[in-house]
């Protein structure tokens, strides 16, 4: 049985059906972060049900709609967390609400399958088929392109990184080179690195898609890696296990965790004055740069570990490569026409 941190979602832990649902999902192999996000979503839903006196076993769609409305209107701490929400100054972000609806729908699907409910109150959107009208989902999806810094902001980020310890500078370089999610970065082990070919082997259990893949690192990362190997050997006396280890007195020699890496990047972003920069921005930048370098959609998807090519297409559009190519073709056509017209002046 997969272990779950029940203290993160006490209402789920104290509800028999919700607890069995989350444990069931975890035992089936759902990613730990996804399972925790789903647990928080249903915990929030149970909180709302308690506040309005609704029973999850009998409530109807109007309670779901009221919960969504409350999520869209509640304070989101925008002033305190400027870089977290940009689509509204009130309410949870569209992406968070979408995720929570999916989680709560999954919970009610479990209740239906378990025989505790007859129908799922969280309806799905449906595309139109055989001439039928499409059915709109509960909340319209807002598609936003990933944010990446301009060159001036990127230079400020790198300037702020120069004062960081060697380990942190290597983490920054590898996060960009490999387009790594934070979970993938902190779980790299020394045996995953192949210096001769400048490759990092990402094990399936460390990736979001549960698919192993290889990513490359560049010359700067290779130089930092050699220096860090020397420093790591001097500090900890071993060259095995997790690559990135803590040097703090309290956790000396322990692997760097997700939140430690997040705090490091938040500190860099604050010193650089680029508050929107996050651990995931390195990934957005690398994939956009691959698109600008004319890598194919399939190649970018493979490098990123995307299951769905529609996700990869975001980076193609963000790179502007299609727009640039269309602009060049259009200008070439106009240029030829102008040249043809001017040619009439040669032999009047």
């Amino acid at each position: 049985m997969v272990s779950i941190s029940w203290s993160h979602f006490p209402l789920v832990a104290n509800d028999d059906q919700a607890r069995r649902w989350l444990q069931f999902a975890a035992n089936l192999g759902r990613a730990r972060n996804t399972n925790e996000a789903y647990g928080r979503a249903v915990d929030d839903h149970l909180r709302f049900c308690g506040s309005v006196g609704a029973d999850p076993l009998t409530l109807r769609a109007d309670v779901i709609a009221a919960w969504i409305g409350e999520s869209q209107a509640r304070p989101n701490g925008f002033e305190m967390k400027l870089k977290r929400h940009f689509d509204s100054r009130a309410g949870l972000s569209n992406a968070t609400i979408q995720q929570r609806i999916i989680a709560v729908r999954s919970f009610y699907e479990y209740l239906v399958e378990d025989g505790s409910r007859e129908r799922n109150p969280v309806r799905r959107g449906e595309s139109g088929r055989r001439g039928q009208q499409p059915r709109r989902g509960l909340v319209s999806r807002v598609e936003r392109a990933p944010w990446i810094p301009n060159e001036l902001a990127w230079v400020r980020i790198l300037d702020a990184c120069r004062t960081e310890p060697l380990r942190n500078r290597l983490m920054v370089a590898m996060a960009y080179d490999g387009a790594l999610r934070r979970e993938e970065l902190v779980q790299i082990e020394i045996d995953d690195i192949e210096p001769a070919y400048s490759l990092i082997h990402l094990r399936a259990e460390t990736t979001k898609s549960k698919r192993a893949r290889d990513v490359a690192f560049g010359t700067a990362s290779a130089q930092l890696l050699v220096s860090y190997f020397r420093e790591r050997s001097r500090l900890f006396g071993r060259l095995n296990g997790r690559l990135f280890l803590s040097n703090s007195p309290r956790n000396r020699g322990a692997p760097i965790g997700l939140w430690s890496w997040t705090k490091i990047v938040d500190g860099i972003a604050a010193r650089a004055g680029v508050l929107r920069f996050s651990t995931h921005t390195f990934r957005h930048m690398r994939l956009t740069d691959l698109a600008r370098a004319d890598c194919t959609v399939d190649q970018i998807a493979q490098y990123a570990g995307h299951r769905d090519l529609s996700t990869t297409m975001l980076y193609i559009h963000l790179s502007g490569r299609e727009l640039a190519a269309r602009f060049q073709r259009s200008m070439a056509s106009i240029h030829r026409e102008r040249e043809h017209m001017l040619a009439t002046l040669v032999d009047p």
Side-chain angles (χ1 to χ4, degrees):
M1 183 177 291
V2 177
S3 176
I4 295 177
S5 300
W6 295 108
S7 59
H8 294 173
F9 8 83
L11 297 181
V12 171
N14 292 327
D15 185 279
D16 183 55
Q17 286 91 354
R19 186 184 181 101
R20 287 192 292 114
W21 159 75
L22 194 61
Q23 187 66 68
F24 172 77
N27 291 343
L28 287 179
R30 182 182 287 160
R32 180 175 61 86
N33 284 352
T34 302
N35 214 49
E36 289 198 357
Y38 276 33
R40 289 192 297 270
V42 173
D43 200 74
D44 181 74
H45 177 64
L46 294 177
R47 172 200 59 78
F48 179 80
C49 289
S51 70
V52 298
D55 184 352
L57 297 182
T58 59
L59 64 78
R60 301 172 68 90
D62 59 331
V63 176
I64 301 297
W67 167 63
I68 293 173
E70 190 259 359
S71 299
Q72 293 172 329
R74 73 177 65 166
N76 67 7
F78 182 87
E79 292 79 7
M80 294 182 294
K81 300 181 179 180
L82 286 174
K83 72 177 184 176
R84 299 302 182 199
H85 303 286
F86 293 94
D87 51 358
S88 175
R89 286 185 174 269
L92 300 179
S93 70
N94 180 267
T96 299
I97 292 174
Q98 295 285 353
Q99 182 193 64
R100 292 193 172 188
I101 289 173
I102 292 171
V104 171
R105 182 187 295 124
S106 171
F107 168 56
Y108 283 110
E109 283 177 354
Y110 176 82
L111 294 183
V112 172
E113 292 175 0
D114 195 47
S116 300
R117 281 190 63 101
E118 185 176 339
R119 297 181 62 183
N120 190 332
V122 188
R123 80 176 192 209
R124 295 177 180 272
E126 296 178 357
S127 59
R129 295 181 179 178
R130 299 177 181 177
Q132 296 180 348
Q133 285 290 105
R135 186 181 184 186
R136 183 177 174 272
L138 292 175
V139 176
S140 297
R141 187 176 295 275
V142 177
E143 296 288 350
R144 296 185 177 275
W147 176 83
I148 58 173
N150 59 29
E151 291 302 311
L152 291 176
W154 178 232
V155 168
R156 296 208 305 272
I157 289 291
L158 293 180
D159 285 342
C161 288
R162 290 191 178 96
T163 61
E164 290 290 317
L166 175 59
R167 181 205 64 203
N168 296 354
R169 283 180 278 140
L170 175 60
M171 294 181 77
V172 165
M174 282 192 165
Y176 167 78
D177 282 345
L180 299 177
R181 301 179 179 94
R182 59 176 190 164
E183 295 86 354
E184 296 167 345
L185 178 66
V186 300
Q187 294 187 77
I188 293 175
E189 296 190 352
I190 289 181
D191 289 343
D192 297 332
I193 299 175
E194 196 167 350
Y197 297 97
S198 299
L199 290 176
I200 303 172
H201 303 294
L202 299 176
R203 289 165 282 121
E205 62 269 23
T206 69
T207 67
K208 182 178 179 180
S209 61
K210 300 304 178 186
R211 292 179 177 179
R213 71 182 193 277
D214 293 341
V215 295
F217 58 88
T219 303
S221 291
Q223 294 172 346
L224 289 167
L225 180 64
V226 171
S227 299
Y228 179 64
F229 274 158
R230 295 197 191 102
E231 179 183 273
R232 189 180 183 282
S233 178
R234 176 174 55 82
L235 292 173
F236 307 110
R238 64 182 189 274
L239 281 175
N240 57 16
R242 291 282 180 87
L243 175 61
F244 300 113
L245 301 180
S246 172
N247 194 31
S248 68
R250 188 176 64 176
N251 299 311
R252 183 178 175 81
I256 288 290
L258 296 177
W259 296 109
S260 294
W261 172 231
T262 298
K263 287 172 63 177
I264 290 168
V265 175
D266 284 351
I268 293 170
R271 292 199 307 276
V274 187
L275 296 181
R276 294 184 70 175
F277 203 96
S278 71
T279 57
H280 216 62
T281 307
F282 297 109
R283 178 174 171 84
H284 292 327
M285 288 186 63
R286 180 57 161 168
L287 297 180
T288 303
D289 287 346
L290 290 176
R292 287 171 175 163
D294 284 337
C295 292
T296 67
V297 174
D298 288 335
Q299 288 170 338
I300 298 172
Q302 181 178 0
Y303 199 84
H306 289 155
R307 288 182 179 271
D308 188 349
L309 288 182
S310 65
T311 304
T312 311
M313 287 303 298
L314 288 173
Y315 298 98
I316 299 294
H317 297 321
L318 190 63
S319 71
R321 122 180 159 193
E322 290 180 337
L323 178 62
R326 191 179 305 115
F327 177 79
Q328 292 295 335
R329 288 195 299 269
S330 299
M331 289 304 297
S333 175
I334 293 172
H335 180 70
R336 285 194 300 270
E337 181 63 23
R338 296 293 189 208
E339 283 293 318
H340 178 72
M341 296 172 67
L342 290 172
T344 62
L345 301 178
V346 177
D347 295 313

